[in-house]
Amino acid sequence: MSQVDPRQIVDEATSGGYAVGAFNMHNEETTEALVRAAERAQSPVFLQVGRAIVPHMGLKKAYEMTRRIAEESDADYVIHLDHGPWDEVFEAIKLGFTSIMYDGAHLPFEENIRTTRRVVEVAHAFGIPVEAELGKIPNADEQVDWSSYYTDVAQAERFVAETGVDFLAISVGIVHGVPLAKPQPLDIQRVKQIEAAVGIPLVLHGASGVPDNEILAAMAAGVHKFNADTDLRLAFRSGIEDVWAQGDRQLEEAMAEGRERMIEATVQKMKLYGCAGKAQHRRQLVQQ
């Protein structure tokens, strides 16, 4: 096992022109799928404790489960809090998370700056990098006025300068989930403008369902961490459903098939993002 520095692996992705994948777990089997995918692809990975698992199991139990499974693996990993609210961020720091996303995007802009700055001060005192979000991300197939959802370039520049965040998640046409209708094309020009204004690595949440060519264009424009969940959950679900469609089967058999399909789907994401093989490369550099 190897818990790695989140800043270092994102910095390496930035200088190398690729991105690191960040994926959510939901139980033991999906956590195992993520670390096994990282082993199979020889890729670093952000293991994200997110908005679904925390109400289901609690932050402490979710963290302990993730840490135990990751420590038993040979993966290069980061345990990351995804979309953490104010109180949860500080609990996560106490528990031992090594990467934090504080989500104040729903707050008025000035309050988002003020609260994010305080989170950064505390997290940096413990050597923990902070990701924050600016702009709004709708749910899949929700009808929205995109002009009010996109991240504003000038606001992004001021936000980063006044908060000191390490990574910025932006809204440029992405959604949470996989849209049934034709997805909104990513605003790649806006990605370029934001990257030029803020000078830190950018993050795209909601990368499920985004066409591969747009993922590659966003990466070239300055995105070096992609968050994806729905595509992987659907892969896991398909395995369970196909086993049970055969008739009476043990739950463990269905879960094992779901896990294997999620591993395969995660490896494909890692290959697309360009981070496959980079864990082995990092270890070779360390040994030299």
Side-chain angles (χ1 to χ4, degrees), residues 74-107:
D74 193 39
D76 283 4
Y77 65 91
V78 173
I79 302 180
H80 174 80
L81 177 68
D82 189 35
H83 287 285
W86 177 262
D87 290 342
E88 198 172 281
V89 162
F90 299 108
E91 182 183 356
I93 291 172
K94 293 177 182 177
L95 285 170
F97 280 76
T98 57
S99 181
I100 297 292
M101 186 223 171
Y102 168 63
D103 188 357
H106 60 288
L107 300 172

Short mmCIF file of all heavy atoms in Angstrom, two decimals, residues 74-107:
data_model
loop_
_atom_site.label_atom_id
_atom_site.label_comp_id
_atom_site.label_asym_id
_atom_site.label_seq_id
_atom_site.Cartn_x
_atom_site.Cartn_y
_atom_site.Cartn_z
N ASP A 74 -2.09 -2.68 -2.97
CA ASP A 74 -0.81 -2.17 -3.47
C ASP A 74 -1.04 -0.90 -4.29
O ASP A 74 -0.20 -0.52 -5.10
CB ASP A 74 -0.12 -3.24 -4.33
CG ASP A 74 1.34 -2.89 -4.61
OD1 ASP A 74 2.01 -2.38 -3.70
OD2 ASP A 74 1.79 -3.11 -5.75
N ALA A 75 -2.16 -0.24 -4.07
CA ALA A 75 -2.52 0.95 -4.85
C ALA A 75 -1.85 2.20 -4.29
O ALA A 75 -1.58 2.30 -3.10
CB ALA A 75 -4.04 1.13 -4.85
N ASP A 76 -1.59 3.17 -5.17
CA ASP A 76 -1.21 4.52 -4.77
C ASP A 76 -2.49 5.32 -4.65
O ASP A 76 -3.17 5.56 -5.65
CB ASP A 76 -0.29 5.16 -5.83
CG ASP A 76 1.13 4.65 -5.75
OD1 ASP A 76 1.40 3.76 -4.93
OD2 ASP A 76 1.97 5.14 -6.53
N TYR A 77 -2.83 5.75 -3.44
CA TYR A 77 -4.16 6.31 -3.22
C TYR A 77 -4.13 7.55 -2.34
O TYR A 77 -3.19 7.80 -1.59
CB TYR A 77 -5.07 5.26 -2.57
CG TYR A 77 -4.64 4.88 -1.17
CD1 TYR A 77 -5.12 5.55 -0.05
CD2 TYR A 77 -3.72 3.85 -0.96
CE1 TYR A 77 -4.71 5.22 1.23
CE2 TYR A 77 -3.31 3.51 0.31
CZ TYR A 77 -3.81 4.20 1.40
OH TYR A 77 -3.39 3.88 2.68
N VAL A 78 -5.21 8.32 -2.47
CA VAL A 78 -5.52 9.45 -1.60
C VAL A 78 -6.93 9.22 -1.08
O VAL A 78 -7.83 8.87 -1.86
CB VAL A 78 -5.47 10.79 -2.37
CG1 VAL A 78 -5.96 11.93 -1.50
CG2 VAL A 78 -4.07 11.06 -2.90
N ILE A 79 -7.15 9.40 0.22
CA ILE A 79 -8.51 9.35 0.76
C ILE A 79 -9.01 10.79 0.86
O ILE A 79 -8.47 11.60 1.60
CB ILE A 79 -8.57 8.64 2.11
CG1 ILE A 79 -8.01 7.21 1.98
CG2 ILE A 79 -10.01 8.59 2.63
CD1 ILE A 79 -8.03 6.41 3.28
N HIS A 80 -10.05 11.08 0.09
CA HIS A 80 -10.50 12.45 -0.17
C HIS A 80 -11.94 12.62 0.27
O HIS A 80 -12.80 11.77 -0.03
CB HIS A 80 -10.37 12.72 -1.67
CG HIS A 80 -10.91 14.02 -2.15
ND1 HIS A 80 -10.23 15.21 -2.02
CD2 HIS A 80 -12.08 14.33 -2.77
CE1 HIS A 80 -10.94 16.19 -2.55
NE2 HIS A 80 -12.07 15.68 -3.01
N LEU A 81 -12.22 13.70 0.96
CA LEU A 81 -13.60 14.06 1.30
C LEU A 81 -14.19 14.84 0.14
O LEU A 81 -13.66 15.87 -0.27
CB LEU A 81 -13.65 14.91 2.57
CG LEU A 81 -15.05 15.39 2.97
CD1 LEU A 81 -15.92 14.22 3.40
CD2 LEU A 81 -14.97 16.43 4.08
N ASP A 82 -15.32 14.36 -0.38
CA ASP A 82 -15.96 15.00 -1.53
C ASP A 82 -17.19 15.78 -1.08
O ASP A 82 -18.03 15.26 -0.35
CB ASP A 82 -16.35 13.92 -2.54
CG ASP A 82 -16.83 14.51 -3.86
OD1 ASP A 82 -16.31 15.55 -4.28
OD2 ASP A 82 -17.73 13.90 -4.48
N HIS A 83 -17.29 17.03 -1.52
CA HIS A 83 -18.45 17.89 -1.21
C HIS A 83 -18.73 17.96 0.29
O HIS A 83 -19.86 17.81 0.74
CB HIS A 83 -19.71 17.40 -1.95
CG HIS A 83 -19.67 17.69 -3.42
ND1 HIS A 83 -19.89 18.94 -3.93
CD2 HIS A 83 -19.45 16.87 -4.48
CE1 HIS A 83 -19.80 18.89 -5.26
NE2 HIS A 83 -19.53 17.65 -5.60
N GLY A 84 -17.69 18.22 1.06
CA GLY A 84 -17.86 18.28 2.51
C GLY A 84 -18.48 19.60 2.96
O GLY A 84 -17.99 20.66 2.58
N PRO A 85 -19.51 19.55 3.79
CA PRO A 85 -20.02 20.77 4.41
C PRO A 85 -19.11 21.20 5.57
O PRO A 85 -18.18 20.48 5.95
CB PRO A 85 -21.41 20.36 4.92
CG PRO A 85 -21.30 18.88 5.14
CD PRO A 85 -20.32 18.37 4.13
N TRP A 86 -19.40 22.36 6.13
CA TRP A 86 -18.51 23.01 7.11
C TRP A 86 -18.10 22.08 8.24
O TRP A 86 -16.92 21.83 8.46
CB TRP A 86 -19.22 24.26 7.64
CG TRP A 86 -18.49 25.01 8.70
CD1 TRP A 86 -18.68 24.92 10.06
CD2 TRP A 86 -17.42 25.95 8.52
NE1 TRP A 86 -17.81 25.75 10.73
CE2 TRP A 86 -17.03 26.41 9.80
CE3 TRP A 86 -16.76 26.47 7.41
CZ2 TRP A 86 -16.02 27.35 10.00
CZ3 TRP A 86 -15.75 27.41 7.60
CH2 TRP A 86 -15.39 27.84 8.88
N ASP A 87 -19.05 21.56 9.01
CA ASP A 87 -18.72 20.74 10.18
C ASP A 87 -17.99 19.46 9.78
O ASP A 87 -17.07 19.01 10.48
CB ASP A 87 -19.99 20.40 10.97
CG ASP A 87 -20.58 21.61 11.67
OD1 ASP A 87 -19.85 22.62 11.84
OD2 ASP A 87 -21.77 21.57 12.04
N GLU A 88 -18.39 18.88 8.69
CA GLU A 88 -17.82 17.60 8.27
C GLU A 88 -16.35 17.74 7.86
O GLU A 88 -15.55 16.81 8.05
CB GLU A 88 -18.64 17.06 7.10
CG GLU A 88 -18.45 15.58 6.83
CD GLU A 88 -19.43 15.09 5.80
OE1 GLU A 88 -20.61 14.85 6.17
OE2 GLU A 88 -19.04 14.97 4.62
N VAL A 89 -16.00 18.89 7.30
CA VAL A 89 -14.61 19.13 6.90
C VAL A 89 -13.68 18.99 8.10
O VAL A 89 -12.63 18.33 8.03
CB VAL A 89 -14.48 20.53 6.27
CG1 VAL A 89 -13.03 20.97 6.26
CG2 VAL A 89 -15.03 20.52 4.85
N PHE A 90 -14.04 19.58 9.21
CA PHE A 90 -13.18 19.55 10.39
C PHE A 90 -13.16 18.17 11.04
O PHE A 90 -12.13 17.74 11.57
CB PHE A 90 -13.61 20.64 11.37
CG PHE A 90 -13.50 22.02 10.77
CD1 PHE A 90 -14.63 22.73 10.42
CD2 PHE A 90 -12.26 22.58 10.51
CE1 PHE A 90 -14.53 23.99 9.84
CE2 PHE A 90 -12.15 23.84 9.94
CZ PHE A 90 -13.29 24.54 9.59
N GLU A 91 -14.28 17.47 10.97
CA GLU A 91 -14.29 16.08 11.44
C GLU A 91 -13.37 15.22 10.58
O GLU A 91 -12.63 14.37 11.09
CB GLU A 91 -15.72 15.52 11.39
CG GLU A 91 -15.82 14.09 11.91
CD GLU A 91 -17.22 13.50 11.79
OE1 GLU A 91 -18.15 14.22 11.36
OE2 GLU A 91 -17.38 12.31 12.11
N ALA A 92 -13.39 15.46 9.27
CA ALA A 92 -12.53 14.69 8.35
C ALA A 92 -11.06 14.94 8.63
O ALA A 92 -10.24 14.01 8.57
CB ALA A 92 -12.87 15.05 6.90
N ILE A 93 -10.70 16.17 8.93
CA ILE A 93 -9.31 16.48 9.25
C ILE A 93 -8.87 15.71 10.50
O ILE A 93 -7.78 15.15 10.55
CB ILE A 93 -9.13 18.00 9.44
CG1 ILE A 93 -9.31 18.72 8.09
CG2 ILE A 93 -7.76 18.32 10.04
CD1 ILE A 93 -9.35 20.23 8.20
N LYS A 94 -9.74 15.67 11.50
CA LYS A 94 -9.42 14.94 12.73
C LYS A 94 -9.28 13.44 12.48
O LYS A 94 -8.45 12.77 13.10
CB LYS A 94 -10.50 15.19 13.78
CG LYS A 94 -10.55 16.62 14.31
CD LYS A 94 -11.70 16.80 15.29
CE LYS A 94 -11.81 18.23 15.78
NZ LYS A 94 -12.97 18.41 16.70
N LEU A 95 -10.09 12.91 11.57
CA LEU A 95 -10.07 11.48 11.29
C LEU A 95 -8.80 11.05 10.56
O LEU A 95 -8.36 9.91 10.69
CB LEU A 95 -11.29 11.08 10.46
CG LEU A 95 -12.62 11.01 11.22
CD1 LEU A 95 -13.77 10.84 10.24
CD2 LEU A 95 -12.61 9.87 12.23
N GLY A 96 -8.24 11.95 9.75
CA GLY A 96 -7.03 11.60 9.03
C GLY A 96 -7.12 11.67 7.52
O GLY A 96 -6.22 11.20 6.82
N PHE A 97 -8.20 12.24 6.99
CA PHE A 97 -8.28 12.45 5.55
C PHE A 97 -7.06 13.26 5.11
O PHE A 97 -6.64 14.19 5.81
CB PHE A 97 -9.55 13.22 5.18
CG PHE A 97 -10.80 12.39 5.13
CD1 PHE A 97 -11.43 11.98 6.30
CD2 PHE A 97 -11.37 12.04 3.91
CE1 PHE A 97 -12.60 11.23 6.25
CE2 PHE A 97 -12.54 11.30 3.85
CZ PHE A 97 -13.16 10.88 5.03
N THR A 98 -6.54 12.95 3.92
CA THR A 98 -5.36 13.67 3.44
C THR A 98 -5.69 14.64 2.31
O THR A 98 -4.80 15.29 1.76
CB THR A 98 -4.28 12.69 2.95
OG1 THR A 98 -4.84 11.84 1.93
CG2 THR A 98 -3.78 11.85 4.11
N SER A 99 -6.97 14.76 1.97
CA SER A 99 -7.40 15.69 0.94
C SER A 99 -8.85 16.05 1.23
O SER A 99 -9.65 15.18 1.61
CB SER A 99 -7.27 15.06 -0.45
OG SER A 99 -7.65 15.95 -1.47
N ILE A 100 -9.18 17.33 1.06
CA ILE A 100 -10.50 17.84 1.46
C ILE A 100 -11.11 18.64 0.32
O ILE A 100 -10.44 19.46 -0.31
CB ILE A 100 -10.37 18.77 2.70
CG1 ILE A 100 -9.83 18.02 3.91
CG2 ILE A 100 -11.70 19.45 3.01
CD1 ILE A 100 -10.78 17.00 4.47
N MET A 101 -12.39 18.39 0.06
CA MET A 101 -13.14 19.33 -0.77
C MET A 101 -14.21 19.97 0.12
O MET A 101 -15.09 19.30 0.62
CB MET A 101 -13.82 18.66 -1.95
CG MET A 101 -14.48 19.70 -2.88
SD MET A 101 -16.10 19.22 -3.46
CE MET A 101 -16.63 20.75 -4.23
N TYR A 102 -14.07 21.28 0.32
CA TYR A 102 -15.11 22.03 1.03
C TYR A 102 -16.04 22.62 -0.01
O TYR A 102 -15.60 23.29 -0.96
CB TYR A 102 -14.49 23.15 1.88
CG TYR A 102 -15.53 24.12 2.38
CD1 TYR A 102 -16.54 23.71 3.24
CD2 TYR A 102 -15.51 25.46 1.98
CE1 TYR A 102 -17.52 24.60 3.69
CE2 TYR A 102 -16.46 26.35 2.44
CZ TYR A 102 -17.47 25.92 3.28
OH TYR A 102 -18.42 26.80 3.71
N ASP A 103 -17.33 22.37 0.16
CA ASP A 103 -18.32 22.83 -0.82
C ASP A 103 -19.13 23.98 -0.25
O ASP A 103 -20.10 23.79 0.47
CB ASP A 103 -19.23 21.68 -1.22
CG ASP A 103 -20.15 22.05 -2.38
OD1 ASP A 103 -20.11 23.22 -2.81
OD2 ASP A 103 -20.88 21.17 -2.85
N GLY A 104 -18.72 25.20 -0.61
CA GLY A 104 -19.48 26.38 -0.25
C GLY A 104 -20.12 27.04 -1.45
O GLY A 104 -20.51 28.21 -1.39
N ALA A 105 -20.24 26.29 -2.56
CA ALA A 105 -20.74 26.87 -3.81
C ALA A 105 -22.18 27.34 -3.70
O ALA A 105 -22.61 28.21 -4.47
CB ALA A 105 -20.59 25.86 -4.95
N HIS A 106 -22.94 26.77 -2.75
CA HIS A 106 -24.34 27.16 -2.60
C HIS A 106 -24.48 28.46 -1.81
O HIS A 106 -25.58 29.04 -1.74
CB HIS A 106 -25.09 26.06 -1.86
CG HIS A 106 -24.53 25.77 -0.49
ND1 HIS A 106 -23.32 25.11 -0.30
CD2 HIS A 106 -24.99 26.06 0.76
CE1 HIS A 106 -23.08 25.02 0.99
NE2 HIS A 106 -24.06 25.58 1.65
N LEU A 107 -23.39 28.92 -1.21
CA LEU A 107 -23.43 30.13 -0.39
C LEU A 107 -23.29 31.37 -1.26
O LEU A 107 -22.77 31.32 -2.38
CB LEU A 107 -22.28 30.09 0.63
CG LEU A 107 -22.28 28.93 1.62
CD1 LEU A 107 -20.98 28.95 2.42
CD2 LEU A 107 -23.48 29.00 2.54
#
